[in-house]
Amino acid sequence: MERSLSTKPRWRMELLAMGASLLSSSCCVIQLVMNYLSLGCAGFAVLTPYRPHFTALAVLLLSMSVVAGGWSRRTVATAAVCGLLMVSQDVVAAHNDGRLDAVWRDASARIGGMADMAALVSGIQRRVNPQDSDTSKSLHMQQVQQQLDECRSMVQVQTFSFHVHGIKCEGCAARLKDAIARHPGVYDVQVLFADKSAVVTRRQPATAASITDDSEDRFARAIMQTIAQVDFAYTTQLIRVDSREEIGGCED
């Protein structure tokens, strides 16, 4: 009897703790689910000012559950779920502003560097292999030279900064970023909920034909149309366009 009486309040405390954890993330998980279902923004960001209070409540409820019955597998699982819910908004924000993308690109570059080294060793072995014909060696050297020329070519990097009025939460910003990232020609996207801004980067060969004001205008208008298609409540204004040239037709 004592076990059944103590178990029921613990279940309630753990469920309330998960609810408080969800509220502490401004219901970011719920908004992500709504994004997947192509539903609009619910405006859960109104809960953000109360985040410390919901977090403290979740920790208090978990502590009370542990004091009442000690640690169990269910309590550990509940604590893990609460922790994931609490940080979900921060993870989505890191995705939106490009921090996660930078980590992914760095890891990909390291892996790619190892693969390039292996390919270089393989190429050296092929070139010194006496069984290869002169034609095969020449073809291989031409391919290597072509790759080097591409990597040494000049590319134009353009950064388009937009002000987007109407972004209501990090979940909505994530939906907007994914939509812009699918647009042809987009190299990188950052959507900042705090600044209500979107920064879009494109890379293209630095040729006279591609560097034109008309090309910039068309690309900017296309991005603004994409933003409007995500949510008709969004109003977008192009703030500025920054351009630079750099070496690197290939990724590092």
Side-chain angles (χ1 to χ4, degrees), residues 114-175:
M114 296 173 61
D116 292 341
M117 181 61 69
L120 179 61
V121 173
S122 176
I124 294 174
Q125 291 175 347
R126 286 185 59 188
R127 287 196 295 271
V128 301
N129 190 348
Q131 296 180 354
D132 287 346
S133 64
D134 292 338
T135 303
S136 177
K137 293 177 182 179
S138 176
L139 179 60
H140 178 71
M141 291 301 296
Q142 290 176 3
Q143 293 173 347
V144 172
Q145 185 62 45
Q146 182 179 0
Q147 293 176 355
L148 290 174
D149 292 340
E150 291 176 355
C151 291
R152 293 169 182 165
S153 63
M154 297 297 296
V155 296
Q156 183 192 43
V157 181
Q158 292 182 305
T159 303
F160 297 75
S161 299
F162 300 90
H163 176 75
V164 185
H165 178 74
I167 303 177
K168 299 178 181 178
C169 68
E170 292 289 358
C172 297
R175 180 187 180 190

